Amino acid sequence: MAKEKKLVEEITSMDVDFAQWYTDVVKKAELTDYTSVKGCMVIKPAGYAIWENIQKELDRRFKETGVENVYLPMLIPESLLQKEKDHVEGFAPEVAWVTYGGLEPLQERMCIRPTSETLFCDFYSKEIQSYRDLPKVYNQWCSVMRWEKTTRPFLRSREFLWQEGHTAHATAEEAEARTQQMLNVYADFCEEVLAMPVIRGRKTDKEKFAGAEATYTIEALMHDGKALQSGTSHNFGDGFAKAFGIQYTAKDNTLQYVHQTSWGMTTRLIGAIIMVHGDNSGLVLPPRIAPTQVMVIPIAQHKEGVLDKAYELKSALLDAGFKVKVDDSDKSPGWKFSEQEMKGIPVRIEIGPKDIEANQAVIVRRDTREKIVVALPELAEKVGEVLTTMQSDMLERARKHRDSHTYDATTYEEFVKTINEKPGFVRAMWCGDQACEDKIKEDTTATSRCMPFKQDHIADTCVCCGKPAKALVYWGKAY
Ligand SMILES: [Zn+2]
């Protein structure tokens, strides 16, 4: 038994050291590994399969709204990056440069894309001539590189995977509608598939994307009470269009600038899944994103008929549409249970000689560890029920956790005390002045996460300076 306990003992308790717990889970669930490339990670099969499911589900939702996929180069000539002033200032500190081609120094150095606004703009300036060419609703799945100083698997790495949507529209109204539409696609995806409740809102000017007129965001609360920005959607207005000369001839024959948006989600989401749902036994994957939903674990598999029965159950469950595996390795059942739990597989089915005799199996839920004895003819139906219930329970549990870690503050003293002593979101009124955001960050390290679309009026004055309040803001310490 000593050895069987080892897997769980090897991860730090989340209550003792959440950061170490996270690192341990990422390693023990075999999601990533370190590489010789500093600040970059190997995404291993268990981690990559989660990303593939995220991709599949998001891509389907994108396409339902008319998005088409494209691919652009990973290198951006410096002159192109320089064209939009705010954008280059925002990204310059974390850009990696290519200065040689083979043995020859390049005439113009090129950066490895940190994001592709500039390339899309260059492309659109040639592609768009007439109102008939609009709208353009393109997306690309790729990796980007940002030279981060401190890195953590999934949450912050120098190279990461993402999608970046870039659209061009005839009018400001259309661009604004697309910006909000994509934010809602992200939010629905997080809630329906990842069982992760999010706050939808707008970033303050200080926190918005470099070069954007407005940035909308979804913010989620992790188990340790820190916020994680989980997806953003930006309205660029015609700023980039003017910098890059993206014009079209309108129906009335006048020359007009296009209005643009961009929106992105990244492998950070995997970090969010870990930190919203994980527990001291490891990962807990929501059934709708889990690469394997059911692990069949034979008990006393050396006995006649046990393995055959396990394969039979697998086959029946596959036919019913579930993602199923059998752990037929020669490890002990206890060890297999620990591994299944560590990897966050939502349901395991235990089947042994006594079960076979009684024509039954035991279903065990990963999140609650509830054991359900079920007659074999009803197994597929029951598994479906358990997965559905687990998915909705996980969302509800995460929502309760977030709501019970969301506080209101109306005085600065109360604000500072709450944000320093109680992990979570603090809701407070703000005057709209960046000086107050700066002061709050300096005093507490917390940042404005968003001005929620659902505004409440909890006080008349700014929590920081006492001037008349303009908006309710969610504040928090963030990843
Ligand atoms: Zn203020």
Side-chain angles (χ1 to χ4, degrees):
M1 280 309 281
K3 204 185 165 201
E4 281 164 14
K5 276 186 184 166
K6 221 170 125 193
L7 197 62
V8 175
E9 282 171 2
E10 278 174 8
I11 68 168
T12 308
S13 161
M14 56 161 58
D15 311 308
V16 172
D17 183 345
F18 193 80
Q20 190 57 48
W21 168 84
Y22 176 83
T23 308
D24 291 349
V25 170
V26 166
K27 187 163 188 292
K28 292 291 164 190
E30 297 177 14
L31 302 178
T32 70
D33 212 340
Y34 297 101
T35 82
S36 308
V37 189
K38 201 165 176 282
C40 297
M41 59 184 167
V42 171
I43 305 179
K44 295 170 81 170
Y48 200 76
I50 299 172
W51 180 241
E52 284 179 311
N53 284 348
I54 291 173
Q55 275 187 307
K56 254 182 255 167
E57 187 65 35
L58 274 179
D59 204 60
R60 182 180 65 73
R61 288 166 187 249
F62 292 166
K63 284 173 180 161
E64 278 171 9
T65 75
V67 173
E68 296 175 292
N69 286 336
V70 293
Y71 189 80
L72 273 61
M74 72 180 300
L75 297 177
I76 307 174
E78 184 167 22
S79 55
L80 215 53
L81 194 69
Q82 301 284 4
K83 278 196 174 180
E84 213 286 335
K85 194 179 123 290
D86 291 339
H87 187 68
V88 67
E89 272 175 20
F91 280 97
E94 49 188 41
V95 161
W97 292 100
V98 174
T99 56
Y100 270 77
L103 301 175
E104 303 293 322
L106 298 178
Q107 297 246 321
E108 179 184 12
R109 61 178 184 163
M110 293 193 270
C111 81
I112 300 172
R113 64 182 161 217
T115 176
S116 305
E117 273 73 15
T118 53
L119 281 179
F120 270 93
C121 285
D122 187 46
F123 171 48
Y124 283 153
S125 69
K126 295 163 191 137
E127 182 93 345
I128 297 167
Q129 307 295 335
S130 142
Y131 69 90
R132 293 190 191 90
D133 300 325
L134 294 170
K136 285 275 182 279
V137 188
Y138 290 164
N139 172 66
Q140 76 170 343
W141 290 95
C142 63
S143 75
V144 288
M145 179 157 272
R146 297 178 187 177
W147 214 254
E148 303 281 0
K149 290 195 179 77
T150 50
T151 58
R152 296 186 68 195
F154 296 122
L155 298 176
R156 204 168 284 279
S157 54
R158 287 184 176 167
E159 183 185 7
F160 58 87
L161 301 176
W162 79 344
Q163 59 70 217
E164 45 178 324
H166 296 267
T167 70
H169 306 270
T171 65
E173 294 71 29
E174 240 184 80
E176 176 62 20
R178 175 56 73 166
T179 314
Q180 293 193 21
Q181 179 181 27
M182 297 321 287
L183 192 84
N184 287 326
V185 168
Y186 288 161
D188 292 345
F189 165 75
C190 284
E191 296 185 351
E192 291 165 16
V193 181
L194 306 185
M196 185 170 88
V198 293
I199 306 286
R200 307 171 199 215
R202 181 178 174 157
K203 288 283 187 193
T204 62
D205 282 351
K206 176 182 160 76
E207 299 290 333
K208 76 182 181 187
F209 183 81
E213 265 184 14
T215 290
Y216 300 131
T217 180
I218 47 172
E219 300 284 327
L221 196 69
M222 303 297 103
H223 193 83
D224 64 345
K226 276 166 109 174
L228 189 114
Q229 176 183 302
S230 304
T232 48
S233 185
H234 318 287
N235 186 342
F236 291 131
D238 59 5
F240 275 92
K242 283 180 172 158
F244 284 82
I246 314 172
Q247 287 181 292
Y248 69 96
T249 308
K251 274 184 189 165
D252 63 4
N253 239 356
T254 57
L255 206 53
Q256 304 286 341
Y257 286 105
V258 299
H259 292 76
Q260 289 171 273
T261 81
S262 85
W263 23 275
M265 266 194 163
T266 79
T267 33
R268 270 201 127 188
L269 282 175
I270 300 174
I273 297 169
I274 299 167
M275 291 194 291
V276 168
H277 299 302
D279 64 19
N280 281 331
S281 300
L283 194 59
V284 183
L285 290 172
R288 290 193 63 184
I289 206 67
T292 303
Q293 295 170 312
V294 180
M295 182 63 89
V296 179
I297 299 182
I299 314 290
Q301 69 183 38
H302 59 281
K303 295 208 171 155
E304 204 192 327
V306 173
L307 269 179
D308 288 343
K309 197 65 175 178
Y311 296 137
E312 191 188 311
L313 297 187
K314 176 189 169 182
S315 155
L317 290 170
L318 280 175
D319 288 347
F322 302 109
K323 298 168 186 161
V324 194
K325 282 186 178 168
V326 175
D327 188 346
D328 55 6
S329 66
D330 62 359
K331 298 165 188 165
S332 72
W335 184 264
K336 292 178 185 179
F337 295 166
S338 297
E339 275 190 335
Q340 169 258 327
E341 290 181 356
M342 184 65 67
K343 291 181 177 173
I345 296 167
V347 154
R348 79 164 171 259
I349 294 173
E350 304 172 3
I351 180 92
K354 283 179 193 160
D355 298 307
I356 295 170
E357 211 173 293
N359 204 31
Q360 65 178 37
V362 182
I363 300 175
V364 185
R365 251 174 86 161
R366 170 63 184 87
D367 60 336
T368 58
R369 291 199 172 70
E370 185 192 351
K371 288 193 173 195
I372 304 150
V373 178
V374 59
L376 289 184
E378 285 140 38
L379 184 66
E381 196 190 335
K382 193 68 193 173
V383 164
E385 242 173 62
V386 168
L387 291 175
T388 306
T389 310
M390 183 171 162
Q391 180 80 29
S392 59
D393 285 358
M394 286 177 77
L395 175 63
E396 213 35 57
R397 202 175 306 127
R399 201 190 299 281
K400 268 190 194 146
H401 177 268
R402 181 195 66 193
D403 292 349
S404 65
H405 290 79
T406 301
Y407 309 93
D408 287 0
T410 52
T411 69
Y412 197 58
E413 194 191 349
E414 189 188 1
F415 178 85
V416 172
K417 195 172 152 58
T418 309
I419 209 123
N420 284 334
E421 290 174 10
K422 295 182 174 171
F425 285 127
V426 179
R427 304 188 327 147
M429 303 306 289
W430 176 56
C431 61
D433 191 342
Q434 193 181 315
C436 289
E437 280 181 281
D438 291 341
K439 179 173 164 52
I440 286 172
K441 189 168 185 188
E442 205 181 300
D443 290 350
T444 68
T445 73
T447 49
S448 67
R449 304 315 310 156
C450 73
M451 299 178 277
F453 294 145
K454 273 191 202 154
Q455 281 283 313
D456 282 336
H457 187 84
I458 61 169
D460 294 330
T461 54
C462 173
V463 76
C464 183
C465 68
K467 284 185 210 149
K470 284 198 178 133
L472 175 78
V473 169
Y474 273 74
W475 304 86
K477 297 180 181 178
Y479 280 97

